[in-house]
């Protein structure tokens, strides 16, 4: 066996195989979370059947900003969890729903069936969704009282994660 | 190449048909082209590797609207890319910046070509050095003939 040739082939192929193995382990559709740790982008939302309001006007306590849609199946179970959480945290945390890529009438009908305990907003031309780098629903952003994005959850939030993140944000207190 | 020619022809047509409105029409067309070229370099977050300029999805169209708005606000091409990178990370760029690990994308093809050329050169040199080999054949044939002769003589 020509060991010199074997070494050359190994030197070329092993790094390529390592790069391929690392690449196949990644999800090419997964959008990275770049906002946590940064100031929450400001955007204007319109309440369903109501007036426009700046996101910053909800500041002063932790904000849970949840992007959802009536056509989104995983959003359904999450909606119930968020309603329960909003009732449990009361005035300490501001929950906010943002309708993503959906008609206002569909959202209104959906909420009429399921009830909502916190403000639900429309996002004309997806301005706010783009500002927050949303790539699908559900996506939830946890904004602390000082207006910094503390965490981002892609997919439905789970009860343990929700109480842990909110617990940490409340422990940090007011700005 | 076709797109600039079409643009120039369109601008000339607008200028000749509506005197006085030519300058305005030229700006609009240029901005549309610029928005399209920017949109071709931004990845649609809800599609399979498609640029926002070519995706029919509502999200991509909303992102294109944002590009148009930013151009109208006087934002530069780089400022628009920076805005989307700040929100979606470098993932949003269909041609990632040639820095860090991304450099492998640029260097690997060149390195592979270099290694290939080196191997071809080595192979060619080896073949040149091994060219006189056929001369050995008559000697072997002679040895065989000699052995047969010896056997017959015995």
């Amino acid at each position: 066996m020509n060991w010199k040739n074997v070494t050359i082939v190994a030197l070329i192929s092993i790094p390529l195989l390592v790069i391929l193995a690392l690449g196949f382990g990644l999800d090419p559709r997964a959008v990275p979370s770049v906002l946590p740790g940064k100031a929450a982008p400001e955007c204007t939302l319109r309440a369903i059947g109501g007036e426009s309001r700046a996101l910053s006007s909800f500041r002063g306590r932790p904000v849970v900003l949840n992007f959802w849609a009536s056509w989104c199946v995983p959003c359904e179970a999450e909606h119930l969890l968020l309603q329960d959480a909003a009732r449990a945290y009361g005035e300490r945390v501001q929950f906010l729903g943002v309708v993503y890529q959906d008609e206002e009438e569909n959202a209104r009908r959906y909420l009429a069936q399921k009830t909502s305990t916190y403000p639900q907003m429309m996002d004309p031309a997806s301005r706010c969704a783009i500002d927050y780098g949303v790539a699908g629903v559900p996506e939830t952003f946890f904004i602390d009282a000082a207006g910094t994005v503390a965490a981002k959850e892609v997919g439905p939030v789970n009860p343990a994660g929700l109480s842990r993140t909110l617990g940490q944000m409340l422990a940090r207190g007011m700005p | 190449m076709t797109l600039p020619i079409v643009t120039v022809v369109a601008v000339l047509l607008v200028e000749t048909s509506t005197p006085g409105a030519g300058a305005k029409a030229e700006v609009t067309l240029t901005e549309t082209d610029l928005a399209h070229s920017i949109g071709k370099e931004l990845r649609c977050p809800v599609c399979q590797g498609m640029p926002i300029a070519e995706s029919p999805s509502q999200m991509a169209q909303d992102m294109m609207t944002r590009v148009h708005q930013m151009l109208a606000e006087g934002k530069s091409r780089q400022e628009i890319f920076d805005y989307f990178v700040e929100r979606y990370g470098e993932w949003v760029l269909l041609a990632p910046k040639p820095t860090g690990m991304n450099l492998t994308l640029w260097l690997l093809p060149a390195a592979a070509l270099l290694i290939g050329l080196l191997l071809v050169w080595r192979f060619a040199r080896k073949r040149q050095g091994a060219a006189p080999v056929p001369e050995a054949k008559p000697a072997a044939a002679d040895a065989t003939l000699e052995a047969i002769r010896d056997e017959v003589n015995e």
Side-chain angles (χ1 to χ4, degrees):
Chain A
M1 192 182 285
N2 189 340
W3 287 106
K4 202 175 159 189
N5 285 347
V6 172
T7 313
I8 291 170
V9 170
L11 279 174
I12 295 169
S13 56
I14 289 172
L16 284 174
L17 285 171
V18 170
I19 290 170
L20 274 175
L22 288 174
F24 281 125
L26 300 171
D27 178 4
R29 293 195 66 197
V31 181
S33 299
V34 288
L35 277 186
K38 292 182 184 169
E42 173 64 306
C43 53
T44 304
L45 297 158
R46 186 172 51 77
I48 293 180
E51 289 180 354
S52 294
R53 208 171 151 182
L55 185 60
S56 58
S57 67
F58 293 99
R59 207 169 284 168
R61 52 184 165 160
V63 175
V64 177
L65 189 69
N66 173 246
F67 288 86
W68 66 277
S70 68
W71 46 261
C72 159
V73 178
C75 298
E76 224 169 306
E78 188 192 51
H79 180 81
L80 298 172
L81 169 69
L82 291 173
Q83 299 308 315
D84 288 345
R87 269 185 227 108
Y89 283 95
E91 293 294 308
R92 289 180 297 156
V93 177
Q94 173 68 60
F95 283 76
L96 210 56
V98 182
V99 180
Y100 170 84
Q101 304 274 305
D102 205 349
E103 297 294 327
E104 184 167 351
E105 191 46 43
N106 294 342
R108 199 195 296 267
R109 207 177 305 129
Y110 181 93
L111 293 168
Q113 286 168 359
K114 299 184 189 302
T115 71
S116 179
T117 52
Y118 52 83
Q120 298 289 346
M121 321 294 277
M122 293 303 295
D123 181 21
S126 305
R127 268 301 278 264
C128 201
I130 296 169
D131 276 343
Y132 277 81
V134 173
V137 277
E139 269 190 30
T140 307
F141 294 83
F142 297 87
I143 303 166
D144 68 17
T148 303
V149 179
K152 174 188 173 184
E153 186 75 34
V154 177
V157 290
N158 61 76
L162 184 68
S163 60
R164 189 177 54 245
T165 309
L166 286 177
Q168 286 167 354
M169 285 164 76
L170 288 167
R172 279 201 292 270
M174 298 289 284
Chain B
M1 191 63 201
T2 323
L3 202 60
I5 293 168
V6 171
T7 309
V8 168
V9 171
V11 168
L12 286 174
L13 280 173
V14 170
E15 276 191 342
T16 48
S17 59
T18 52
K24 177 93 175 92
E26 192 177 3
V27 168
T28 311
L29 282 170
T30 310
E31 263 184 20
T32 307
D33 289 343
L34 186 56
H36 189 77
S37 80
I38 292 169
K40 276 179 84 171
E41 291 182 42
L42 291 170
R43 189 195 302 257
C44 163
V46 295
C47 321
Q48 298 273 12
M50 268 182 99
I52 58 168
E54 287 166 14
S55 166
S57 79
Q58 187 58 49
M59 187 62 178
Q61 286 174 27
D62 287 342
M63 286 170 84
M64 276 306 291
T65 305
R66 189 81 194 96
V67 171
H68 281 286
Q69 283 169 350
M70 290 180 82
L71 282 173
E73 287 164 12
K75 297 277 193 296
S76 71
R77 189 184 173 87
Q78 192 53 50
E79 281 173 323
I80 295 171
F81 284 136
D82 291 345
Y83 166 83
F84 283 101
V85 168
E86 268 176 38
R87 278 137 186 96
Y88 290 95
E90 277 195 30
W91 176 95
V92 80
L93 300 176
L94 280 167
K97 290 174 191 167
T99 52
M101 268 300 282
N102 293 345
L103 268 175
T104 50
L105 288 171
W106 273 262
L107 296 181
L108 217 57
L113 184 70
L114 201 70
I115 290 167
L117 285 173
L118 265 170
L119 287 174
V120 168
W121 178 70
R122 267 178 65 106
F123 183 70
R125 258 187 58 161
K126 236 181 189 176
R127 277 194 68 151
Q128 263 185 348
V133 169
E135 281 176 17
K137 272 192 176 168
D142 287 351
T144 315
L145 278 173
E146 197 64 35
I148 292 166
R149 269 194 210 106
D150 287 347
E151 214 164 282
V152 170
N153 289 338
E154 275 174 16

